[in-house]
């Protein structure tokens, strides 16, 4: 087995004339918080879409625990133990916190539609197990008091947390978070950092995209920097921010920063 949970080898994708990800090779050790940073349009989300099977690369390969997953679609990637959150929060509107997490946990259990249809013993006992599992997750992440509330009535910080707990509910070992601190206030960001550190302590590997440098500095063990689809540096926070090419990449595009 590979010593890395995730590796890419010369990964590229082109959209028409744009090379959105350009020959990116990276290796992620298990159990760390790995940060992917870079200016707007650098190719970060596209990288996530490649790694989770949403896009197929034009070139290059992706390995999960040494196994080539380049050709797998999103469902197969998820079944292997990889989960993600999106840049714009995607929760089921008008559903409770409990329901949002319960739905995610479906993918990890084995009963078939036919069992549900006939409301079989197996279905009933799996439903029971699932509810128990979701209740335990809510308890563990201190959300029991919110479980019957509508997800869309809750503050951004809580909505992010629901998304993250939902990602965990699939049983994933490797979790991708796309700008988890976007739209959060400083208190919510601190709480988010504590949650991500807790996931690391539980043995999960976290791969996150983030513009909030306080968060990146505070929790990332290793960082890769993208600019115009290319990897321009990797290493610790101190190392990458002292690289003049990284500083220029940010300064050069700060004026174009225009998203929420
Ligand atoms: N499906 C697509 N079709 C065409 N171009 C795309 C597609 N997806 C991404 N791109 C382009 O790829 C480039 C990288 O976009 P991406 O969303 O990955 O950037 P990002 O680093 O996540 O930026 P941000 O920080 O603003 O979220 C952009 O030029 C974008 O327009
Ligand atoms: Mg993005």
């Amino acid at each position: 087995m590979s010593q890395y949970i995730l590796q890419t080898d010369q990964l590229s994708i082109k959209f028409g004339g744009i090379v959105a990800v350009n020959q990116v090779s990276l290796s992620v050790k298990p159990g760390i918080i790995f940060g992917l940073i870079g200016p707007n349009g650098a190719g970060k989300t596209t990288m996530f879409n490649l790694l989770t099977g949403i896009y197929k690369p034009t070139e290059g390969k992706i390995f999960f625990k040494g196994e080539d997953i380049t050709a797998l679609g999103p469902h197969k990637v998820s079944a292997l133990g990889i989960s993600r959150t999106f840049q714009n929060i995607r929760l089921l509107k008008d559903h409770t916190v409990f329901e949002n997490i319960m739905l995610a946990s479906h993918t990890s259990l084995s009963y078939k539609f036919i069992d549900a249809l006939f409301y079989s013993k197996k279905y009933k006992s799996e439903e029971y197990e699932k509810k128990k599992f979701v209740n335990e997750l809510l308890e563990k992440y201190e959300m029991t008091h919110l479980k019957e509330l509508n997800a869309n009535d809750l503050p951004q910080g809580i909505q992010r947390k629901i998304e993250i707990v939902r990602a965990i509910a699939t049983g994933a070992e490797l979790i991708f978070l796309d700008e988890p601190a976007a739209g959060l206030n400083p208190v919510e960001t601190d709480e988010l950092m504590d949650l991500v550190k807790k996931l690391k302590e539980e043995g999960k590997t976290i791969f996150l995209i983030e513009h909030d440098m306080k968060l990146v500095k505070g929790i990332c063990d290793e960082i890769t920097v993208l600019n115009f689809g290319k990897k321009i540096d990797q290493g610790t926070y101190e190392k990458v921010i002292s690289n003049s090419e990284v500083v220029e990449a940010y300064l050069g595009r700060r004026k174009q920063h225009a998203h929420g």
Side-chain angles (χ1 to χ4, degrees), residues 14-16 18-21 38-49 55 87 178-179 209 211 226 229 257 259:
K14 285 183 196 149
F15 297 112
I18 300 173
V19 189
V21 171
N40 296 121
K44 305 179 299 297
T45 298
T46 304
M47 193 71 193
F48 269 23
N49 287 333
Y55 292 160
Q87 193 161 345
D178 195 346
E179 296 196 33
I209 293 173
H211 284 293
L226 285 188
H257 193 106
H259 75 105

Side-chain angles (χ1 to χ4, degrees), residues 179-197:
E179 296 196 33
L184 304 196
N185 65 39
V187 175
E188 291 173 329
T189 302
D190 283 345
E191 284 169 4
L192 170 75
M193 285 165 70
D194 289 341
L195 173 63
V196 176
K197 282 192 275 188

